[in-house]
Amino acid sequence: MSIIHEVHRVTKELYDHLQQPLPSEEARDDYITKITESLEERKQLIKELRPPENDEEEKLKNEIFSMGEEVNNKLTAIQGMIRIDINKLKKRKNTGKKYESPYESKTLDGIFFDSKK
């Protein structure tokens, strides 16, 4: 099997995997690990890629490009969802700290600011 067929196969697997919705927190690690492995394998194969030699390889190249654009869009969307989850987790963590020790945070209540100097 030629390199372009291998790149097409890996890209198709990645494309199909990304069509599944982002799972909940428990299964998310496996989902992301599969994406990372596929991207790494694809990267290694693309390094060995040569220009297409016939019409079949040209067709595969066009399919790879179209799937690649969709993969990039999906990865951007997944990255955004993960970033939102991280921000929610940080906010929850900060809120928890405020409840555990409410007097550690600095407040402006009851402070007099002298405006004259």
Side-chain angles (χ1 to χ4, degrees), residues 8 14 21-22 29 31 35 38 44 56 58 66 74 77 81 84 88 93 110 117:
H8 185 268
L14 180 60
L22 186 66
D29 287 340
Y31 185 82
I35 292 171
S38 295
Q44 296 300 322
E56 178 191 5
E58 186 70 32
S66 64
K74 277 293 216 181
M81 287 187 277
I84 289 170
K88 284 181 186 176
K93 187 176 177 182
K117 286 211 174 189

Side-chain angles (χ1 to χ4, degrees), residues 52-108:
E53 297 175 357
N54 56 33
D55 291 338
E56 178 191 5
E57 289 182 356
E58 186 70 32
K59 181 182 172 194
L60 287 175
K61 179 190 84 165
N62 292 335
E63 287 180 20
I64 291 169
F65 282 147
S66 64
M67 282 190 290
E69 290 175 8
E70 186 69 29
V71 164
N72 286 338
N73 293 339
K74 277 293 216 181
L75 287 174
T76 303
I78 289 171
Q79 183 182 19
M81 287 187 277
I82 291 172
R83 186 173 289 128
I84 289 170
D85 289 346
I86 289 172
N87 289 338
K88 284 181 186 176
L89 181 63
K90 284 182 183 178
K91 188 173 183 178
R92 225 180 310 148
K93 187 176 177 182
N94 287 337
T95 304
K97 283 182 182 179
K98 287 180 185 178
Y99 280 115
E100 288 174 7
S101 55
Y103 300 110
E104 282 187 20
S105 63
K106 297 179 181 176
T107 63
L108 297 177

Side-chain angles (χ1 to χ4, degrees), residues 6-20 34-35 37-38 41-42 67 71:
E6 285 294 316
V7 172
H8 185 268
R9 179 189 58 79
V10 172
T11 304
K12 180 71 173 149
E13 286 176 5
L14 180 60
Y15 177 80
D16 292 341
H17 182 68
L18 289 173
Q19 296 307 314
Q20 302 169 7
K34 172 71 173 146
I35 292 171
E37 289 170 355
S38 295
E41 182 181 0
R42 187 171 180 254
M67 282 190 290
V71 164

